């Protein structure tokens, strides 16, 4: 089996099934600003930290010192690696004077002189500009051989928009495309592994973030998480946190299942979720992810209806994560929920606000598949998930599911709806489906009082009726 070198980027290692193959050549292609230079430097320093030696050769007019000054600001930079394990070299002068043959000799010479096992050639498009198409193909072919002979990884960076039919893409062992895209007013970066010989890849585009720490790649949840086996062997029930609801559910929610609470604003979805979390303890740790109400507000809300969330929070049995409903990278968010659930052996997960997740997606139709992948992962860990999703309808008879696909991809669906009758605002709950189980199919009116959710009409509604 051919040895693989980590790319230094966890998400990219996942896309490439472990990283770059030793003795192979890769093209990393993308427009200026897509992150190619950062990716290549991050790879070099990760390689050096792992005990290898790396060379970064630029064919651009930009000096190595300028490049170094820029890279030294990044979190992955290690000054102690210079100049022994990590070398910056310019090939621009040799390319100008001696053309591609001279540049090829320089690459061979420097790889041997520094005993390098990784090399970056930045600005491959410059080499193409000084030669004919045929000469450039021969150059790429020769570089492929040089990488193999040196038993090193060669990464060539280019910003030229060359399509998949170009000869160099058939010659190299791997082809990675980076892009800087816009959708409406939103700008975002993506990465796609177009080719990787001898390795399974996660196909398609995946989101990228660049920070002071370098590049982070977030594989699409529905492609990266689907491979996990679903351990749904549990046949017991998980209490919903409300005894009356458990009766409707024939004992509670199936363990390891995913439940969707659907309803308009004010229907009681978050309140029901707080009931669910109120049972968190050392045996059943919990995790909540919310987008609209801050942790302090949620704790106060729980107190106001007689639910004690302060105790499990203070004892470390319940973690409340809050994110503003902005342009979050959903795949990062999903991976974070999975990691936290696995690390703390969480049994109760409550995600309040799938609308915020949907609105963060560039392609909103991904939502059902993302939630399905998340639910499968949580189920495999042994956690039961509860999600809330908002619908605009306010009348009981007009209620519709937010999306057929989303409803189909969860195990249980509870509809919470509202309406007006006899001059009073009223709430209703119906169990729409429950995984492999019978349930009470009737619609039940409920209200929220100082003890939380209570089934039956709100006593104050009678006063309204009399007043009407």
């Amino acid at each position: 089996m051919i040895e693989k070198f980590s790319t230094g980027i966890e998400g990219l290692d996942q896309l490439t099934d472990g990283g770059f193959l030793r003795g192979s050549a890769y093209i990393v292609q993308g427009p200026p600003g897509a992150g190619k230079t950062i990716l290549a430097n991050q790879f070099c320093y990760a390689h050096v930290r792992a005990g290898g030696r790396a060379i970064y050769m630029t064919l651009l007019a930009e000096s190595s010192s300028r490049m170094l000054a820029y890279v030294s600001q990044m979190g992955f930079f290690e000054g102690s690696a210079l100049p022994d394990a990590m070398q910056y070299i310019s090939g621009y002068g040799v390319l100008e004077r001696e053309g591609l043959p001279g540049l090829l000799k320089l690459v061979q010479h420097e790889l041997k002189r520094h005993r390098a096992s990784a090399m970056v050639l930045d600005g491959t498009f410059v080499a193409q500009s000084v030669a004919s198409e045929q000469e450039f193909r021969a150059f790429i072919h020769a570089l492929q051989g040089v990488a193999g002979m040196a038993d090193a990884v060669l990464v060539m960076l280019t910003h030229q928009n060359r399509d998949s039919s170009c000869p160099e893409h058939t010659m190299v062992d791997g082809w990675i495309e980076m892009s800087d895209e816009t959708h409406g007013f939103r700008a975002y970066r993506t990465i796609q592994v177009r080719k990787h010989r001898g390795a399974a890849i996660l196909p398609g585009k995946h989101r990228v973030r660049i920070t002071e720490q370098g590049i982070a790649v977030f594989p699409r949840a529905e492609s990266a998480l689907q491979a996990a086996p679903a351990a749904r062997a549990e046949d017991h029930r998980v209490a919903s946190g409300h005894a009356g609801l458990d009766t409707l559910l024939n004992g509670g929610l199936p363990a390891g299942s995913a439940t969707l609470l659907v309803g308009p604003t004010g229907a009681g979805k978050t309140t029901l979720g707080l009931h669910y979390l109120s049972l968190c303890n050392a045996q059943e740790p919990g995790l909540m992810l919310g987008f609209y109400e801050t942790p302090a507000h949620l704790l106060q809300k729980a107190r106001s209806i007689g639910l004690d969330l302060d105790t499990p929070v203070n004892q470390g049995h319940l973690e409340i994560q809050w994110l503003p409903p902005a342009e979050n990278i959903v795949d990062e968010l999903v991976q974070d929920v999975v990691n936290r659930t696995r690390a703390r052996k969480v049994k109760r997960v409550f995600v309040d606000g799938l609308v915020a997740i949907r609105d963060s997606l560039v392609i909103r139709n991904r939502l059902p598949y993302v939630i399905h992948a998340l639910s499968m992962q949580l189920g495999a860990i042994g956690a039961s998930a509860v999600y809330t999703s908002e619908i605009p309808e306010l009348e009981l008879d007009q209620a519709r599911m937010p999306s057929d696909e989303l409803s189909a991809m969860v195990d249980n669906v509870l509809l919470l709806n509202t309406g007006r009758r006899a001059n009073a605002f009223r709430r209703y709950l119906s169990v729409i489906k429950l995984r492999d189980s019978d349930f009470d199919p009737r619609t039940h009116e409920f209200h929220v009082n100082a003890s939380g959710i209570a089934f039956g009409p709100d006593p104050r509604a009678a006063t309204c009726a009399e007043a009407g």
Side-chain angles (χ1 to χ4, degrees):
M1 180 177 292
I2 302 176
E3 183 184 1
K4 290 179 181 176
F5 293 147
S6 170
T7 64
I9 303 165
E10 183 180 346
L12 184 54
D13 282 352
Q14 196 173 351
L15 299 189
T16 55
D17 193 28
F20 295 137
L21 293 166
R22 185 171 193 142
S24 301
Y26 293 82
I27 288 178
V28 177
Q29 175 179 319
K36 304 183 299 299
T37 303
I38 296 175
L39 182 152
N41 275 283
Q42 199 164 335
F43 161 60
C44 286
Y45 284 97
H47 187 69
V48 167
R49 280 197 301 275
R53 300 170 69 87
I55 298 173
Y56 195 105
M57 181 181 289
T58 178
L59 304 182
L60 307 173
E62 181 182 55
S63 68
S64 296
S65 59
R66 187 176 179 83
M67 163 78 73
L68 190 55
Y70 168 66
V71 172
S72 65
Q73 306 300 310
M74 308 298 292
F76 57 76
F77 176 76
E78 288 187 18
S80 61
L82 301 170
D84 186 30
M86 177 72 189
Q87 286 271 337
Y88 284 91
I89 297 172
S90 174
Y92 181 74
V94 171
L95 181 63
E96 268 201 326
R97 293 190 304 273
E98 304 174 28
L100 294 185
L103 179 61
L104 186 60
K105 288 180 182 177
L106 179 65
V107 170
Q108 291 175 298
H109 174 73
E110 294 298 335
L111 275 171
K112 185 175 182 181
R113 185 166 75 92
H114 293 289
R115 294 175 284 115
S117 45
M119 184 173 193
V120 172
L121 203 58
D122 188 359
T124 310
F125 66 93
V126 180
Q128 186 177 3
S129 68
V130 301
S132 67
E133 188 72 21
Q134 186 174 5
E135 290 170 333
F136 182 68
R137 289 180 207 167
F139 174 69
I140 296 294
H141 181 68
L143 283 178
Q144 172 84 8
V146 167
M149 291 292 290
D151 210 16
V153 170
L154 178 63
V155 179
M156 295 172 277
L157 308 186
T158 181
H159 71 222
Q160 285 191 325
N161 187 21
R162 309 264 290 178
D163 63 35
S164 56
S165 63
C166 292
E168 63 266 29
H169 294 139
T170 64
M171 296 175 184
V172 294
D173 300 287
W175 172 24
I176 296 173
E177 188 170 26
M178 305 182 74
S179 64
D180 189 358
E181 305 181 28
T182 58
H183 181 82
F185 292 106
R186 298 174 61 179
Y188 59 97
R189 294 184 174 91
T190 65
I191 191 167
Q192 181 177 11
V193 179
R194 302 291 296 268
K195 173 184 177 183
H196 194 204
R197 279 182 180 146
I201 63 172
L202 289 180
K205 294 184 176 181
H206 307 268
R207 291 287 298 274
V208 167
R209 172 180 289 137
I210 298 177
T211 69
E212 293 177 346
Q213 300 306 311
I215 278 186
V217 173
F218 305 103
R220 291 194 333 278
E222 63 270 36
S223 65
L225 300 182
Q226 286 285 14
R232 294 278 179 83
E234 298 98 336
D235 57 0
H236 63 280
R237 298 285 176 145
V238 174
S240 68
H242 189 282
L245 178 58
D246 286 344
T247 300
L248 304 185
L249 299 171
N250 278 343
L253 299 167
S257 66
T259 301
L260 184 64
L261 306 181
V262 185
T265 184
K269 302 184 296 298
T270 301
T271 300
L272 192 52
L274 297 181
H275 272 275
Y276 178 64
L277 294 177
S278 68
L279 298 185
C280 290
N281 52 38
Q283 290 70 43
E284 295 190 29
L287 170 66
M288 176 180 177
L289 174 64
F291 300 91
Y292 301 105
E293 298 177 275
T294 64
H297 187 195
L298 286 167
L299 292 175
Q300 175 57 40
K301 184 173 186 175
R303 289 184 210 112
S304 70
I305 54 176
L307 297 175
D308 178 21
L309 295 190
D310 293 274
T311 298
V313 167
N314 294 334
Q315 293 178 342
H317 302 318
L318 172 60
E319 180 183 9
I320 300 178
Q321 288 288 313
W322 174 75
L323 290 172
E327 295 180 11
N328 299 296
I329 296 180
V330 170
D331 305 300
E332 176 186 23
L333 184 154
V334 166
Q335 189 61 61
D336 184 62
V337 170
V338 171
N339 291 343
R340 291 176 186 275
T341 301
R342 183 175 289 119
R344 295 181 48 243
K345 295 182 172 54
V346 166
K347 299 298 183 186
R348 293 173 175 267
V349 176
F350 177 42
V351 179
D352 191 18
L354 292 190
V355 171
I357 294 179
R358 183 201 63 195
D359 290 347
S360 289
L361 290 167
V362 176
I363 301 174
R364 294 185 175 189
N365 290 343
R366 287 184 56 206
L367 181 66
Y369 308 100
V370 169
I371 297 305
H372 179 67
L374 172 60
S375 301
M376 292 290 287
Q377 285 288 313
L378 296 178
I381 297 170
S384 304
V386 173
Y387 309 102
T388 66
S389 183
E390 192 147 324
I391 53 176
E393 289 82 0
L394 291 172
E395 296 297 328
L396 182 63
D397 294 338
Q398 298 174 0
R400 294 177 181 174
M401 294 296 108
S403 130
D404 291 340
E405 294 85 358
L406 180 58
S407 301
M409 288 191 177
V410 294
D411 302 295
N412 321 307
V413 177
L414 276 62
L415 172 64
L416 289 77
N417 212 341
T418 58
R420 284 186 303 171
R421 182 166 57 83
N423 294 323
F425 172 79
R426 299 170 189 271
R427 295 182 174 93
Y428 304 92
L429 185 149
S430 306
V431 180
I432 304 300
K433 75 170 184 178
L434 189 68
R435 188 184 73 193
D436 300 330
S437 306
D438 192 16
F439 56 85
D440 186 336
R442 295 172 294 175
T443 294
H444 296 265
E445 185 172 349
F446 72 94
H447 60 281
V448 179
N449 59 29
S451 300
I453 285 179
F455 282 105
D458 189 335
R460 293 167 292 182
T463 305
C464 293
E466 291 169 2

